[in-house]
Coordinates of all heavy atoms in Angstrom, one line a residue:
W496 N 1.7 12.3 0.4 CA 2.9 12.5 1.1 C 3.0 14.0 1.6 O 2.4 14.9 1.0 CB 4.1 12.1 0.3 CG 4.2 12.8 -1.0 CD1 4.7 14.1 -1.3 CD2 3.7 12.3 -2.3 NE1 4.6 14.4 -2.6 CE2 4.0 13.3 -3.3 CE3 3.2 11.1 -2.7 CZ2 3.7 13.1 -4.6 CZ3 2.9 10.9 -4.1 CH2 3.1 11.9 -5.0
K497 N 3.9 14.2 2.6 CA 4.2 15.5 3.1 C 5.5 16.0 2.4 O 6.2 15.3 1.8 CB 4.3 15.5 4.6 CG 3.0 15.1 5.3 CD 3.2 15.2 6.8 CE 1.9 14.7 7.5 NZ 2.0 14.8 9.0
R498 N 5.8 17.3 2.7 CA 7.0 17.9 2.1 C 8.2 17.2 2.7 O 8.2 16.7 3.8 CB 7.0 19.4 2.4 CG 6.0 20.2 1.7 CD 6.1 21.7 2.1 NE 5.9 21.9 3.5 CZ 6.1 23.1 4.1 NH1 6.4 24.2 3.4 NH2 5.9 23.2 5.4
V499 N 9.2 17.2 1.9 CA 10.5 16.6 2.3 C 11.0 17.2 3.6 O 10.9 18.5 3.7 CB 11.6 16.7 1.2 CG1 13.0 16.4 1.7 CG2 11.3 15.8 0.0
G500 N 11.4 16.4 4.5 CA 11.9 16.9 5.8 C 10.8 16.7 6.9 O 11.1 16.8 8.1
E501 N 9.6 16.5 6.5 CA 8.5 16.3 7.5 C 8.2 14.8 7.7 O 8.4 14.0 6.8 CB 7.2 17.0 7.0 CG 7.3 18.5 6.9 CD 6.0 19.1 6.5 OE1 4.9 18.4 6.5 OE2 5.9 20.4 6.2
W502 N 7.8 14.5 8.8 CA 7.5 13.1 9.2 C 6.2 12.6 8.5 O 5.2 13.3 8.5 CB 7.4 12.9 10.7 CG 8.7 13.0 11.4 CD1 9.2 14.0 12.0 CD2 9.7 11.9 11.5 NE1 10.5 13.7 12.5 CE2 10.7 12.4 12.2 CE3 9.7 10.6 11.0 CZ2 11.9 11.6 12.5 CZ3 10.8 9.8 11.2 CH2 11.9 10.3 12.0
N503 N 6.3 11.5 7.9 CA 5.1 10.8 7.3 C 4.8 9.5 8.2 O 5.7 9.0 8.8 CB 5.4 10.4 5.9 CG 5.6 11.5 4.9 OD1 4.6 12.0 4.3 ND2 6.8 12.1 4.9
H504 N 3.5 9.1 8.1 CA 3.1 7.9 8.8 C 2.6 6.9 7.8 O 1.6 7.1 7.0 CB 2.0 8.2 9.8 CG 1.5 7.0 10.6 ND1 2.3 6.4 11.5 CD2 0.4 6.3 10.5 CE1 1.6 5.4 12.1 NE2 0.5 5.3 11.4
T505 N 3.2 5.7 7.7 CA 2.9 4.6 6.8 C 2.3 3.5 7.6 O 2.7 3.1 8.7 CB 4.1 4.2 6.0 OG1 4.4 5.1 4.9 CG2 4.0 2.8 5.5
R506 N 1.3 2.9 6.9 CA 0.7 1.6 7.4 C 0.6 0.7 6.3 O 0.1 1.0 5.2 CB -0.7 1.9 8.0 CG -1.5 0.7 8.4 CD -2.8 1.1 9.1 NE -3.7 0.0 9.4 CZ -4.8 -0.4 8.7 NH1 -5.1 0.3 7.6 NH2 -5.5 -1.4 9.1
I507 N 1.1 -0.5 6.5 CA 1.0 -1.6 5.5 C 0.3 -2.8 6.2 O 0.6 -3.3 7.2 CB 2.4 -2.1 5.1 CG1 3.2 -0.9 4.5 CG2 2.3 -3.2 4.1 CD1 4.7 -1.2 4.2
L508 N -0.8 -3.2 5.5 CA -1.6 -4.3 6.0 C -1.5 -5.5 5.0 O -1.8 -5.3 3.8 CB -3.1 -3.9 6.1 CG -4.0 -5.0 6.6 CD1 -3.7 -5.5 8.0 CD2 -5.5 -4.5 6.5
V509 N -1.0 -6.6 5.4 CA -0.9 -7.8 4.6 C -1.7 -8.9 5.3 O -1.3 -9.3 6.4 CB 0.6 -8.3 4.4 CG1 0.6 -9.5 3.6 CG2 1.4 -7.2 3.8
N510 N -2.8 -9.3 4.7 CA -3.7 -10.2 5.3 C -4.0 -11.3 4.3 O -4.9 -11.2 3.5 CB -5.0 -9.6 5.8 CG -5.9 -10.5 6.7 OD1 -5.5 -11.6 7.0 ND2 -7.0 -10.0 7.1
G511 N -3.2 -12.4 4.4 CA -3.3 -13.4 3.4 C -2.9 -12.9 2.0 O -1.8 -12.5 1.8
T512 N -3.8 -12.9 1.1 CA -3.5 -12.3 -0.3 C -3.8 -10.8 -0.4 O -3.5 -10.2 -1.4 CB -4.3 -13.1 -1.4 OG1 -5.7 -13.0 -1.1 CG2 -3.9 -14.6 -1.4
D513 N -4.5 -10.3 0.6 CA -5.0 -8.9 0.5 C -3.9 -7.9 1.1 O -3.5 -8.2 2.2 CB -6.3 -8.7 1.2 CG -7.4 -9.5 0.6 OD1 -7.4 -9.7 -0.6 OD2 -8.3 -10.0 1.4
V514 N -3.6 -6.9 0.4 CA -2.6 -5.9 0.8 C -3.1 -4.5 0.7 O -3.7 -4.2 -0.4 CB -1.3 -6.1 0.0 CG1 -0.2 -5.1 0.5 CG2 -0.7 -7.5 0.1
E515 N -2.9 -3.7 1.7 CA -3.3 -2.3 1.6 C -2.1 -1.4 2.0 O -1.3 -1.8 2.9 CB -4.4 -2.0 2.6 CG -5.7 -2.7 2.3 CD -6.8 -2.4 3.4 OE1 -6.5 -1.6 4.3 OE2 -7.8 -3.1 3.3
H516 N -1.9 -0.3 1.3 CA -0.9 0.7 1.6 C -1.6 1.9 2.1 O -2.5 2.5 1.3 CB -0.1 1.1 0.4 CG 0.9 0.0 -0.1 ND1 1.9 0.2 -1.0 CD2 1.1 -1.3 0.3 CE1 2.6 -0.9 -1.2 NE2 2.1 -1.8 -0.4
W517 N -1.3 2.4 3.2 CA -1.8 3.7 3.8 C -0.7 4.7 4.0 O 0.4 4.3 4.3 CB -2.5 3.4 5.1 CG -3.8 2.6 5.0 CD1 -3.8 1.2 4.8 CD2 -5.1 3.0 5.2 NE1 -5.1 0.8 4.8 CE2 -5.9 1.9 5.0 CE3 -5.7 4.3 5.5 CZ2 -7.3 2.0 5.1 CZ3 -7.0 4.4 5.6 CH2 -7.9 3.2 5.4
L518 N -1.0 6.0 3.8 CA -0.1 7.0 4.0 C -0.8 8.2 4.6 O -1.7 8.8 4.0 CB 0.6 7.4 2.6 CG 1.6 8.6 2.7 CD1 2.8 8.2 3.6 CD2 2.2 8.9 1.3
N519 N -0.3 8.6 5.8 CA -0.9 9.7 6.5 C -2.4 9.7 6.6 O -3.1 10.7 6.4 CB -0.4 11.0 5.9 CG 1.1 11.2 5.9 OD1 1.7 10.9 6.9 ND2 1.7 11.7 4.8
G520 N -2.9 8.4 6.9 CA -4.3 8.2 7.2 C -5.1 8.0 5.9 O -6.4 7.9 6.0
V521 N -4.5 8.0 4.7 CA -5.2 7.8 3.5 C -4.8 6.4 2.9 O -3.6 6.1 2.7 CB -4.9 8.9 2.5 CG1 -5.6 8.7 1.2 CG2 -5.2 10.3 3.1
K522 N -5.8 5.6 2.5 CA -5.5 4.4 1.8 C -5.2 4.7 0.3 O -6.1 5.3 -0.4 CB -6.7 3.4 1.9 CG -6.4 2.0 1.2 CD -7.3 0.9 1.6 CE -8.6 1.1 0.9 NZ -9.5 -0.1 1.0
I523 N -4.0 4.4 -0.1 CA -3.6 4.8 -1.4 C -3.3 3.7 -2.4 O -3.3 3.9 -3.6 CB -2.3 5.7 -1.3 CG1 -1.2 4.9 -0.6 CG2 -2.6 7.0 -0.7 CD1 0.1 5.7 -0.6
V524 N -3.2 2.4 -1.9 CA -3.0 1.3 -2.8 C -3.8 0.1 -2.1 O -3.8 -0.1 -0.9 CB -1.5 0.9 -2.9 CG1 -1.4 -0.4 -3.7 CG2 -0.8 2.0 -3.6
D525 N -4.4 -0.7 -3.0 CA -5.1 -1.9 -2.5 C -5.0 -2.9 -3.6 O -5.4 -2.7 -4.8 CB -6.6 -1.5 -2.3 CG -7.4 -2.6 -1.6 OD1 -6.9 -3.7 -1.5 OD2 -8.5 -2.3 -1.2
Y526 N -4.4 -4.1 -3.3 CA -4.2 -5.1 -4.3 C -4.2 -6.5 -3.7 O -4.2 -6.6 -2.5 CB -2.8 -4.9 -5.0 CG -1.6 -4.9 -4.2 CD1 -0.8 -6.1 -4.0 CD2 -1.1 -3.7 -3.6 CE1 0.3 -6.1 -3.3 CE2 0.0 -3.7 -2.9 CZ 0.8 -4.9 -2.7 OH 1.9 -4.9 -1.9
Q527 N -4.2 -7.5 -4.5 CA -4.2 -8.9 -4.1 C -3.0 -9.6 -4.7 O -2.6 -9.4 -5.9 CB -5.5 -9.6 -4.5 CG -6.7 -9.2 -3.7 CD -7.8 -10.1 -4.0 OE1 -8.2 -10.4 -5.2 NE2 -8.5 -10.7 -3.0
L528 N -2.3 -10.4 -3.9 CA -1.2 -11.1 -4.3 C -1.6 -12.3 -5.1 O -2.6 -13.0 -4.8 CB -0.4 -11.6 -3.1 CG 0.2 -10.5 -2.2 CD1 0.6 -11.0 -0.8 CD2 1.4 -9.8 -2.9
W529 N -0.7 -12.6 -6.1 CA -0.8 -13.9 -6.9 C -2.0 -14.1 -7.7 O -2.3 -15.3 -8.1 CB -0.5 -15.1 -5.9 CG 0.6 -14.8 -5.0 CD1 1.9 -14.4 -5.3 CD2 0.6 -14.8 -3.5 NE1 2.6 -14.2 -4.1 CE2 1.9 -14.4 -3.0 CE3 -0.4 -15.1 -2.6 CZ2 2.2 -14.3 -1.7 CZ3 -0.1 -15.0 -1.2 CH2 1.2 -14.6 -0.8
T530 N -2.8 -13.1 -8.0 CA -3.9 -13.2 -8.8 C -3.5 -13.2 -10.3 O -2.3 -12.8 -10.6 CB -4.9 -12.1 -8.6 OG1 -4.3 -10.9 -8.9 CG2 -5.4 -12.1 -7.1
P531 N -4.3 -13.4 -11.3 CA -4.0 -13.3 -12.7 C -3.5 -11.8 -13.0 O -2.6 -11.6 -13.8 CB -5.3 -13.6 -13.4 CG -5.9 -14.6 -12.5 CD -5.6 -14.2 -11.1
D532 N -4.2 -10.8 -12.3 CA -3.8 -9.4 -12.6 C -2.4 -9.2 -12.0 O -1.5 -8.5 -12.7 CB -4.8 -8.5 -11.9 CG -4.3 -7.1 -12.0 OD1 -4.4 -6.5 -13.0 OD2 -3.9 -6.5 -10.9
W533 N -2.1 -9.8 -10.8 CA -0.7 -9.7 -10.3 C 0.3 -10.3 -11.2 O 1.3 -9.6 -11.5 CB -0.7 -10.4 -8.9 CG 0.7 -10.6 -8.3 CD1 1.6 -11.6 -8.6 CD2 1.4 -9.7 -7.4 NE1 2.7 -11.4 -7.9 CE2 2.6 -10.3 -7.2 CE3 1.0 -8.6 -6.8 CZ2 3.6 -9.7 -6.3 CZ3 1.9 -8.0 -5.9 CH2 3.2 -8.6 -5.7
Q534 N 0.0 -11.4 -11.7 CA 1.0 -12.1 -12.6 C 1.2 -11.3 -13.9 O 2.3 -11.3 -14.4 CB 0.5 -13.5 -12.9 CG 0.4 -14.4 -11.7 CD 1.7 -14.7 -11.0 OE1 2.8 -14.5 -11.6 NE2 1.7 -15.2 -9.8
A535 N 0.1 -10.8 -14.4 CA 0.2 -10.0 -15.6 C 1.1 -8.8 -15.4 O 1.9 -8.4 -16.3 CB -1.2 -9.6 -16.1
R536 N 1.0 -8.1 -14.3 CA 1.8 -6.9 -14.0 C 3.3 -7.3 -13.8 O 4.2 -6.6 -14.3 CB 1.3 -6.2 -12.7 CG 0.0 -5.5 -12.9 CD -0.6 -5.0 -11.5 NE -1.9 -4.5 -11.7 CZ -2.2 -3.2 -11.8 NH1 -1.3 -2.3 -11.8 NH2 -3.5 -2.8 -11.9
V537 N 3.5 -8.5 -13.2 CA 4.9 -9.0 -13.1 C 5.5 -9.2 -14.5 O 6.6 -8.8 -14.8 CB 4.9 -10.3 -12.2 CG1 6.3 -10.9 -12.3 CG2 4.6 -10.0 -10.8

């Protein structure tokens, strides 16, 4: 992230069960929906 008051650019990709979070051109989160790992975290 950038300093407060500066503009950030977010990209969210949801493709079936695959999800990616991007911030300012950097992939920062990558996960799958509804897997055993997902359920365990819930």
Side-chain angles (χ1 to χ4, degrees):
W496 57 82
K497 297 182 180 180
R498 292 181 299 178
V499 165
E501 295 184 9
W502 286 100
N503 293 268
H504 180 72
T505 278
R506 174 175 175 256
I507 303 173
L508 178 64
V509 180
N510 190 1
T512 60
D513 298 325
V514 182
E515 297 177 5
H516 289 190
W517 292 72
L518 180 59
N519 298 320
V521 179
K522 184 165 76 169
I523 54 173
V524 175
D525 191 345
Y526 60 93
Q527 287 191 310
L528 297 164
W529 314 307
T530 62
D532 176 71
W533 168 277
Q534 297 297 341
R536 290 172 187 261
V537 169

